[in-house]
Structure formats: structure tokens, C-alpha cells
Amino acid sequence: MTELDAGPIDYLAIEIPTQKMNGEGLAALVDLTDRGIIRILDAVVALVDEDGSFTAVELTDVDGDGELDLVVFEGVRSGLLDDDDIAEAAGLIEPGNAVALIVYENTWAEPFVTAMRKNGAEFIASGRIPAETVNEALSALNS
């Protein structure tokens, strides 16, 4: 991945009640990756104990036994996500739950980014509108 052909990079921090983890979200993530819509750059899950301490496991080792479970995420480590990020996210969730941290590239945008840059365009800002804000705006339109 070079600067010229990289799509936008995003991250997600997702609090997951450990008793409700069923693999459905993970299957959707693998599907997005397999279809080339996103490229996972970092993927870590931190399990937060009742005392607030946490154990981080790579997304490749889903059950925490030290063995590779998801080959599709093997070697996923960009350096964009560090131990401080994991600790900060673990501190935001309820004890007994898990937090998944995912840094990903929106690979669907690569051709657009490349074409625009080849013609002299510079990307000067990027952002994300929170889903709650979008839902409120759409609700207001439908009222």
C-alpha cells in the first residue's frame, strides 16, 4: 500500500457482551475482507475482567488458546494501533465485556483516490458522521 493508492483508513472500537458473542459479526468482517471492500490493518480483542484488568488477544486467536483460528487475519499488524490504544478502549467498557479494535482501509476507494491524485487533486479533509446523527436527520425528514 502506497500513499498514492491507499483508501481512507478508519477504526472501530466495539463493546461486545461476552455472553452474547456468537461469531455473526466476525463472519461479516471476514466477508467484507474476502470481497475486497476493506483491508484489515489491525485487529485486537481485549477481554476486560471484573477488576478492570484486561487481556488482549489477536483476532486471529479467537478462543485465546495461542493457536491460529482465522488465517485471513494472520500477520495483520500495521503499527497504527498500540498498547495505549488497547488500554484506553478497555477502560471505556463494562467489566466482564470485551472490546474489539479494528483499523481498516476502505479499499473500495483506492481506484477513486488514485484517479483523483493522478489528475492533481489533493484530499484535504476526511471525517465520519456518527450514525446517531444520520438517524436523527433521516427521522426528521420522514416526520
Side-chain angles (χ1 to χ4, degrees):
M1 175 173 58
T2 66
E3 180 182 343
L4 186 61
D5 64 6
I9 307 295
D10 289 317
Y11 72 91
L12 292 172
I14 308 156
E15 182 173 2
I16 306 165
T18 52
Q19 68 276 12
K20 293 185 179 182
M21 290 174 36
N22 63 12
E24 189 175 339
L26 188 56
L29 185 64
V30 170
D31 178 60
L32 290 169
T33 302
D34 286 347
R35 291 190 295 143
I37 295 170
I38 63 171
R39 178 182 300 132
I40 302 297
L41 302 176
D42 283 297
V44 176
V45 175
L47 306 169
V48 180
D49 294 325
E50 292 300 327
D51 66 1
S53 63
F54 66 91
T55 304
V57 295
E58 299 291 327
L59 196 53
T60 55
D61 182 20
V62 179
D63 55 13
D65 67 0
E67 295 183 23
L68 181 65
D69 298 318
L70 292 170
V71 176
V72 69
F73 298 128
E74 183 178 16
V76 171
R77 201 69 153 138
S78 69
L80 293 171
L81 185 64
D82 62 22
D83 292 340
D84 290 339
D85 297 320
I86 298 167
E88 183 177 346
L92 296 174
I93 68 167
E94 292 293 319
N97 286 342
V99 62
L101 297 169
I102 303 165
V103 177
Y104 61 97
E105 175 191 5
N106 292 285
T107 51
W108 60 265
E110 285 179 15
F112 172 68
V113 169
T114 299
M116 295 303 293
R117 285 189 174 155
K118 281 182 179 177
N119 290 303
E122 291 294 327
F123 289 83
I124 58 173
S126 179
R128 173 107 353 171
I129 300 171
E132 184 177 309
T133 302
V134 172
N135 290 336
E136 289 171 2
L138 292 174
S139 291
L141 287 175
N142 294 326
S143 298

